[in-house]
Short mmCIF file of all heavy atoms in Angstrom, two decimals:
data_model
loop_
_atom_site.label_atom_id
_atom_site.label_comp_id
_atom_site.label_asym_id
_atom_site.label_seq_id
_atom_site.Cartn_x
_atom_site.Cartn_y
_atom_site.Cartn_z
N VAL A 667 -42.61 26.95 -24.18
CA VAL A 667 -42.01 26.55 -25.46
C VAL A 667 -41.35 27.73 -26.17
O VAL A 667 -40.52 27.53 -27.07
CB VAL A 667 -43.07 25.90 -26.39
CG1 VAL A 667 -43.62 24.64 -25.76
CG2 VAL A 667 -44.18 26.88 -26.73
N ASP A 668 -41.68 28.96 -25.81
CA ASP A 668 -41.12 30.13 -26.48
C ASP A 668 -39.77 30.55 -25.90
O ASP A 668 -38.97 31.19 -26.59
CB ASP A 668 -42.10 31.30 -26.39
CG ASP A 668 -43.38 31.02 -27.16
OD1 ASP A 668 -43.29 30.47 -28.27
OD2 ASP A 668 -44.47 31.34 -26.65
N THR A 669 -39.52 30.22 -24.64
CA THR A 669 -38.24 30.57 -24.01
C THR A 669 -37.39 29.35 -23.67
O THR A 669 -36.20 29.49 -23.42
CB THR A 669 -38.48 31.36 -22.72
OG1 THR A 669 -39.16 30.52 -21.77
CG2 THR A 669 -39.34 32.59 -22.98
N GLY A 670 -38.00 28.18 -23.65
CA GLY A 670 -37.30 26.97 -23.24
C GLY A 670 -37.15 26.85 -21.74
O GLY A 670 -36.52 25.91 -21.25
N ALA A 671 -37.71 27.78 -20.98
CA ALA A 671 -37.60 27.74 -19.52
C ALA A 671 -38.45 26.60 -18.98
O ALA A 671 -39.63 26.46 -19.33
CB ALA A 671 -38.06 29.06 -18.92
N ALA A 672 -37.85 25.77 -18.14
CA ALA A 672 -38.54 24.63 -17.53
C ALA A 672 -38.62 24.86 -16.04
O ALA A 672 -37.59 25.01 -15.37
CB ALA A 672 -37.80 23.34 -17.84
N LYS A 673 -39.82 24.89 -15.51
CA LYS A 673 -40.03 25.14 -14.09
C LYS A 673 -40.57 23.89 -13.43
O LYS A 673 -41.57 23.33 -13.85
CB LYS A 673 -41.01 26.30 -13.89
CG LYS A 673 -41.25 26.64 -12.42
CD LYS A 673 -42.23 27.79 -12.26
CE LYS A 673 -42.48 28.10 -10.78
NZ LYS A 673 -43.45 29.20 -10.61
N VAL A 674 -39.85 23.45 -12.38
CA VAL A 674 -40.30 22.28 -11.64
C VAL A 674 -41.40 22.74 -10.67
O VAL A 674 -41.14 23.47 -9.72
CB VAL A 674 -39.14 21.61 -10.87
CG1 VAL A 674 -39.65 20.45 -10.03
CG2 VAL A 674 -38.08 21.14 -11.85
N ARG A 675 -42.60 22.30 -10.94
CA ARG A 675 -43.73 22.66 -10.09
C ARG A 675 -43.76 21.82 -8.82
O ARG A 675 -44.09 22.29 -7.73
CB ARG A 675 -45.05 22.46 -10.85
CG ARG A 675 -46.27 22.98 -10.11
CD ARG A 675 -47.58 22.35 -10.59
NE ARG A 675 -47.73 22.32 -12.04
CZ ARG A 675 -48.75 21.69 -12.64
NH1 ARG A 675 -49.67 21.04 -11.92
NH2 ARG A 675 -48.85 21.67 -13.95
N ARG A 676 -43.38 20.54 -8.97
CA ARG A 676 -43.44 19.64 -7.82
C ARG A 676 -42.44 18.51 -8.02
O ARG A 676 -42.29 18.01 -9.14
CB ARG A 676 -44.86 19.07 -7.66
CG ARG A 676 -45.05 18.27 -6.38
CD ARG A 676 -46.50 17.86 -6.22
NE ARG A 676 -46.71 17.18 -4.94
CZ ARG A 676 -47.85 16.61 -4.56
NH1 ARG A 676 -48.91 16.62 -5.37
NH2 ARG A 676 -47.94 16.00 -3.39
N PHE A 677 -41.75 18.15 -6.96
CA PHE A 677 -40.86 16.98 -7.01
C PHE A 677 -41.02 16.18 -5.72
O PHE A 677 -40.83 16.71 -4.62
CB PHE A 677 -39.39 17.38 -7.18
CG PHE A 677 -38.53 16.23 -7.64
CD1 PHE A 677 -38.16 16.12 -8.97
CD2 PHE A 677 -38.10 15.25 -6.75
CE1 PHE A 677 -37.39 15.04 -9.41
CE2 PHE A 677 -37.34 14.18 -7.18
CZ PHE A 677 -36.98 14.08 -8.52
N TYR A 678 -41.39 14.92 -5.90
CA TYR A 678 -41.63 14.01 -4.77
C TYR A 678 -40.62 12.88 -4.86
O TYR A 678 -40.44 12.26 -5.92
CB TYR A 678 -43.05 13.47 -4.85
CG TYR A 678 -43.36 12.33 -3.90
CD1 TYR A 678 -43.90 12.57 -2.64
CD2 TYR A 678 -43.15 11.00 -4.28
CE1 TYR A 678 -44.20 11.53 -1.77
CE2 TYR A 678 -43.44 9.96 -3.42
CZ TYR A 678 -43.96 10.23 -2.18
OH TYR A 678 -44.26 9.18 -1.32
N ALA A 679 -39.93 12.62 -3.75
CA ALA A 679 -38.90 11.57 -3.72
C ALA A 679 -39.16 10.63 -2.56
O ALA A 679 -39.10 11.04 -1.39
CB ALA A 679 -37.52 12.20 -3.58
#
Side-chain angles (χ1 to χ4, degrees):
V667 298
D668 295 318
T669 64
K673 181 180 179 181
V674 176
R675 187 201 313 173
R676 188 174 185 186
F677 197 100
Y678 170 92

